[in-house]
Amino acid sequence: MAVRLDDGDDELSEINVTPFIDVMLVLLIVFMVAAPLSTVDVAVNLPGSSAPPADRPQDPLWLTFTAEKALLLDETPLDRTAVGAALDARTEGNRETPVFLRADRSVDYGALMGVLDALRNAGYLKVALVGLEGAP
């Protein structure tokens, strides 16, 4: 777009988009670095599974049972007597929400059944057990 000045000088006015592109590239790099850091990870020694991996939902509900027999909802410690109330608060009472249960390999079967019973008593029947992909 050319602008004609009154004094006879021709001046070409253009928008300089280089700073805008620089800012966008910096933001892209920041988000590329920050996105993997925002995942929820609790150190659990999961058993392996040879089943093909399933599709991961958009916002999964993780319930973790650690080797110390501590129960965590995402990364928040949870009392076993308050499993139903905590899940209801997180899912807004939608008991059809799938719960992904990660249990440490060293947890005994009886303790794991106690957690599954607590989930069933709370009304959460869609429970998926999580294991390592591709392990025998």
Side-chain angles (χ1 to χ4, degrees):
M1 176 167 121
V3 176
R4 176 69 96 185
L5 300 176
D6 290 336
D7 61 356
D9 291 336
D10 288 336
E11 186 174 310
L12 184 63
S13 298
E14 294 179 2
I15 297 174
N16 187 1
V17 295
T18 304
F20 176 71
I21 293 172
D22 291 343
V23 168
M24 294 306 291
L25 287 174
V26 168
L27 286 175
L28 177 67
I29 292 170
V30 166
F31 285 117
M32 287 174 58
V33 170
L37 299 176
S38 67
T39 59
V40 175
D41 284 327
V42 176
V44 178
N45 187 10
L46 295 173
S49 173
S50 60
D55 293 334
R56 185 175 179 177
Q58 194 72 357
D59 186 24
L61 183 63
W62 295 106
L63 189 64
T64 306
F65 195 44
T66 64
E68 295 81 24
K69 297 190 174 135
L71 204 55
L72 301 160
L73 180 60
D74 290 332
E75 293 182 355
T76 308
L78 184 64
D79 185 23
R80 288 191 201 177
T81 59
V83 170
L87 290 175
D88 285 341
R90 172 75 193 278
T91 64
E92 298 174 351
N94 182 7
R95 294 199 166 118
E96 294 297 314
T97 303
V99 177
F100 291 87
L101 179 60
R102 299 185 293 186
D104 195 271
R105 179 187 310 239
S106 64
V107 171
D108 62 277
Y109 188 71
L112 182 61
M113 285 305 296
V115 173
L116 290 172
D117 284 342
L119 287 170
R120 186 186 63 221
N121 292 337
Y124 290 89
L125 302 177
K126 292 187 175 183
V127 179
L129 299 175
V130 179
L132 294 176
E133 296 175 358

